[in-house]
Amino acid sequence: MAYEPIDNYALIGNMRTAALVGVTGSIDWLCFPHFDSPSIFAALLDDEQGGFFRIAPRNGDGVTTKQFYWPETNVLVTRFFTAKGVAELIDFMPVVHGEGDERQHRVVRRLNVVRGSMEFRLECQPAFDFARNQGEVVVTGRGVIFRGPGLHLALSGQPAFTALKAGDGHAAPGAASAFQLQENESMTFVLHQIPEDAGCSPVVPDQEAEELFRATVNYWRGWLRRCTYTGRWREMVQRSALTLKLLTFEPTGAIVAAPTTGLPEGVGGERNWDYRYTWIRDAAFTLYALQRIGFTEEAGCFMRWIEARTHELNPDGSLQIMYGIHGEHDLTEYTLDHLKGYRNSRPVRVGNGAFGQLQLDIYGELMDSVYLYNKHGAQISYDFWVQLRKLINWVVDNWQREDEGIWETRGGRRHFTYSKLMCWVALDRGLRLADKRSFPADRDRWLASRDAVYEEIMARGWNPERGAFVQSYDSDALDASNLLMPLTFFVAPSDKRMLATLDETLKPPQEGGLVSNSLTYRYNVRTTADGLTGEEGTFNICSFWMVEALTRAGRTDPKRLDEARLMFERMLGYANHVGLYSEEAGPCGEALGNFPQAFTHLALISAAVNLDRELG
């Protein structure tokens, strides 16, 4: 089968894991039972042996499709149109709270014909453990059992199934079924985890399937009713919130950066990373975005996850930049050399070697999120403050070091301006929080360091010849992360240095800038030694950062506010057909990188809230 474009997929999930469902009706990515588990469907990374679960009309000729979310939910509808009829495939994962309930791990696929009649073919080929184990297939009277190493699945359904052997045109064993449905007829298929010696669950009757569907719709609508945002672009803000919720690992409160690994930042290149983990940086930005639109409960769960990490410091007193969704520290990176990669983009990586990097910016993002949570959520405890005070003292002792920076470059450490900026934020928010709560603190020491960081950024992070804040000390390269300076209150939005940086960044790449028709690169890979080969697309989060920087500058310059709105609304057009964003936009506007990406959606929320407020 051919690879679908990355943005031809939609996401379903249950706050334990998530699946990507293509417009063809095929589930081509699913790690099971958790986000960071090995995949059982990975056709997205290898169209021959990755595994998939497809339900579609038998005759592919003349079939057109339309895919959309049931309004205000994460229930997905794929509609098939043929000359003989119209059918709907409704995909969702029921939400079950609490641990130890076997009903948590289910994918429900409900197929019904709404006009005419249609013939269908179902194929389910799990490829266990990232397609490293073929597993065993047993057809029963109720459906099919798939047995893999440490994981046993069952597919319950009404029609007769046929076992597919590996080698008969199939890379892995599986099961298939062909059947016909008339108008108003339906079938429900449930893929679920079972104990080792168990069989398939009974076939789900129509009434129970309808109840499962309605319960899932009601859950998502009930959750979304807590959203307090009522401004412009409300539907896109709500879709971003629903996506962030899908990327939440409910048992711990962690939020994964994306549910996928290995999707390339440049097709055919090596910039392919595993994003199924939780970054401190993402945590901080997500807390801000969720709090701004009323989801304080999720912010509280995430804050508890962060607090737990501050009790697990490295021997030198530092934090890791990222952790597993259960709080794991060791995320050793290795490659899956047997997989071809998306459109031959190798290597496919599992784990993320960046977990051992030094990235000084995380302390600023952490302290900013804690400060805002203490202000708008719930007041933090003294025990939490004791751990935070240790981290701030660590920043005092270490802010002058070189690091790998926010973009996790693999070209050696440098004095990145953004890293120093966020060290300033860490010290500033620590001082503010200590004063707000009258906490004990080394105020004089923190204040002296905060001012020293500020003076150094102005002296070495500002390049007078370039007329802009630059990526690293004594360089002339631009970096989109510096757009956060006014957002963190380091400089005024109307400060002449910040306005000059904006103007330089807004220039097209061929003139030394980073913006191409409202799309923003994080930096220029041709002038920045990041230790990697190949090209990459524009970063969607950077485009939304540019919107926010222009929005704040627009308080005193209406033209910049107009430009912010124009850029934001252009960016809305780069979402896919169901409102999802990947990490990057390619040279032809195509989605690149892991998908969907939390970072992009939380930046959209923040940009929308602030832009809507300024527009009045």
Side-chain angles (χ1 to χ4, degrees):
M1 60 185 244
Y3 291 99
E4 289 291 320
I6 293 172
D7 46 9
N8 269 14
Y9 289 91
L11 190 72
I12 61 172
N14 61 355
M15 281 84 76
R16 265 65 177 181
T17 189
L20 289 181
V21 186
V23 294
T24 60
S26 182
I27 297 178
D28 290 342
W29 180 258
L30 175 60
C31 294
F32 203 82
H34 295 151
F35 291 110
D36 59 354
S37 301
S39 65
I40 57 171
F41 303 128
L44 198 60
L45 296 180
D46 193 311
D47 62 345
E48 293 181 346
Q49 60 180 329
F52 62 91
F53 181 9
R54 184 189 304 119
I55 302 175
R58 284 189 70 179
N59 184 0
D61 297 333
V63 177
T64 58
T65 62
K66 181 179 181 180
Q67 196 175 59
F68 55 93
Y69 283 111
W70 203 268
E72 301 180 319
T73 78
N74 283 315
V75 174
L76 182 68
V77 181
T78 304
R79 189 170 284 164
F80 301 107
F81 301 88
T82 72
K84 294 184 177 181
V86 180
E88 288 182 343
L89 176 62
I90 300 176
D91 287 317
F92 59 94
M93 298 178 72
V95 177
V96 178
H97 300 291
E99 291 303 295
D101 191 328
E102 63 180 17
R103 297 175 302 161
Q104 287 171 346
H105 306 304
R106 292 182 295 172
V107 178
V108 178
R109 314 200 74 184
R110 189 181 184 201
L111 181 67
N112 65 84
V113 172
V114 295
R115 290 287 187 274
S117 66
M118 202 174 296
E119 295 181 347
F120 298 93
R121 179 170 174 82
L122 177 154
E123 290 184 66
C124 185
Q125 296 185 36
F128 292 95
D129 192 22
F130 297 113
R132 290 181 293 194
N133 190 293
Q134 292 189 345
E136 177 189 1
V137 178
V138 179
V139 175
T140 74
R142 290 179 172 178
V144 188
I145 295 173
F146 305 97
R147 295 193 176 101
L151 180 63
H152 304 273
L153 303 172
L155 174 61
S156 302
Q158 293 100 322
F161 290 93
T162 301
L164 302 175
K165 295 181 180 180
D168 295 342
H170 309 281
S177 180
F179 53 91
Q180 184 173 15
L181 293 178
Q182 305 297 324
E183 187 168 320
N184 293 324
E185 288 185 338
S186 64
M187 283 190 181
T188 300
F189 303 91
V190 180
L191 182 69
H192 55 104
Q193 186 174 2
I194 59 173
E196 182 174 0
D197 298 325
C200 286
S201 297
V203 173
V204 177
D206 286 346
Q207 181 177 351
E208 183 180 341
E210 178 70 15
E211 291 172 355
L212 270 176
F213 164 74
R214 289 178 180 269
T216 307
V217 167
N218 290 337
Y219 169 81
W220 288 114
R221 286 182 172 169
W223 181 82
L224 194 60
R225 276 196 292 270
R226 293 161 43 202
C227 181
T228 58
Y229 183 76
T230 58
R232 300 168 180 84
W233 319 293
R234 182 182 177 189
E235 186 173 346
M236 287 299 291
V237 169
Q238 289 184 341
R239 177 50 53 198
S240 290
L242 284 163
T243 302
L244 289 175
K245 183 64 172 175
L246 274 185
L247 300 181
T248 300
F249 185 62
E250 190 175 69
T252 65
I255 296 179
V256 296
T260 57
T261 181
L263 292 182
E265 296 175 9
V267 172
E270 66 168 337
R271 299 168 184 260
N272 321 312
W273 314 109
D274 192 347
Y275 275 17
R276 299 171 303 142
Y277 308 113
T278 302
W279 274 252
I280 293 291
R281 179 185 304 114
D282 296 35
F285 286 126
T286 303
L287 274 169
Y288 172 77
L290 290 174
Q291 285 188 134
R292 289 301 302 271
I293 58 175
F295 294 107
T296 55
E297 181 180 333
E298 283 70 22
C301 290
F302 213 167
M303 185 56 66
R304 287 189 289 276
W305 183 88
I306 291 175
E307 181 176 358
R309 305 291 80 75
T310 66
H311 288 273
E312 303 167 356
L313 302 181
N314 294 325
D316 67 350
S318 64
L319 275 175
Q320 285 189 187
I321 69 162
M322 58 192 287
Y323 298 87
I325 55 177
H326 293 92
E328 298 92 338
H329 289 234
D330 185 358
L331 306 178
T332 299
E333 182 178 301
Y334 61 94
T335 61
L336 299 174
D337 296 328
H338 64 289
L339 294 180
K340 295 186 297 184
Y342 177 79
R343 293 173 59 188
N344 295 312
S345 301
R346 287 176 165 168
V348 174
R349 294 181 173 92
V350 172
N352 197 309
F355 81 94
Q357 287 190 352
L358 176 64
Q359 296 177 22
L360 294 171
D361 63 287
I362 65 170
Y363 300 96
E365 289 134 359
L366 170 66
M367 287 306 305
D368 193 46
S369 68
V370 174
Y371 175 77
L372 292 171
Y373 181 73
N374 184 83
K375 182 177 181 179
H376 300 294
Q379 291 188 332
I380 67 168
S381 67
Y382 169 73
D383 290 333
F384 190 12
W385 172 252
V386 169
Q387 297 305 116
L388 294 173
R389 186 171 62 180
K390 293 178 183 177
L391 291 174
I392 299 169
N393 283 324
W394 188 91
V395 172
V396 170
D397 294 333
N398 290 274
W399 70 267
Q400 293 179 311
R401 296 171 63 182
E402 295 180 323
D403 73 339
E404 276 91 1
I406 179 176
W407 304 125
E408 301 179 355
T409 58
R410 302 196 177 192
R413 294 181 177 180
R414 281 180 280 165
H415 289 293
F416 287 101
T417 302
Y418 178 77
S419 296
K420 307 303 184 188
L421 164 69
M422 297 312 289
C423 286
W424 177 89
V425 171
L427 296 163
D428 179 75
R429 301 310 190 264
L431 285 163
R432 293 182 188 221
L433 188 54
D435 290 342
K436 181 75 173 178
R437 294 288 307 280
S438 299
F439 281 137
D442 303 316
R443 286 175 172 79
D444 292 343
R445 189 164 176 255
W446 295 0
L447 182 59
S449 294
R450 186 194 69 175
D451 292 349
V453 178
Y454 196 103
E455 297 282 10
E456 187 173 285
I457 292 173
M458 288 300 183
R460 300 186 63 189
W462 169 260
N463 185 317
E465 287 75 26
R466 184 66 196 264
F469 289 107
V470 288
Q471 184 180 60
S472 60
Y473 287 175
D474 309 319
S475 76
D476 61 0
L478 297 177
D479 194 302
S481 61
N482 290 332
L483 295 170
L484 289 175
M485 285 184 168
L487 280 60
T488 58
F489 306 111
F490 178 80
V491 295
S494 57
D495 186 291
K496 63 180 182 180
R497 293 193 181 195
M498 193 63 229
L499 294 178
T501 301
L502 267 179
D503 291 337
E504 283 295 300
T505 307
L506 281 165
K507 291 179 180 179
Q510 58 268 30
E511 296 179 18
L514 298 178
V515 178
S516 177
N517 193 28
S518 295
L519 298 172
T520 307
Y521 292 91
R522 55 179 178 170
Y523 52 78
N524 189 330
V525 297
R526 298 180 180 178
T527 60
T528 298
D530 61 8
L532 298 166
T533 60
E535 299 289 327
E536 63 182 23
T538 54
F539 264 60
N540 292 321
I541 189 172
C542 296
S543 298
F544 288 120
W545 284 348
M546 177 60 81
V547 169
E548 283 217 57
L550 286 168
T551 297
R552 299 193 186 221
R555 293 173 183 172
T556 55
D557 185 348
K559 290 183 179 179
R560 293 187 186 272
L561 187 60
D562 290 342
E563 181 65 21
R565 179 170 187 168
L566 179 64
M567 182 176 287
F568 181 81
E569 291 178 337
R570 279 178 175 161
M571 279 302 300
L572 295 183
Y574 285 95
N576 79 344
H577 60 291
V578 289
L580 302 182
Y581 288 88
S582 64
E583 183 174 35
E584 302 180 26
C588 298
E590 72 276 19
L592 291 175
N594 285 304
F595 175 86
Q597 204 206 29
F599 227 178
T600 303
H601 284 279
L602 62 90
L604 182 153
I605 292 172
S606 181
V609 169
N610 287 301
L611 180 57
D612 181 71
R613 181 182 60 195
E614 289 302 320
L615 290 172

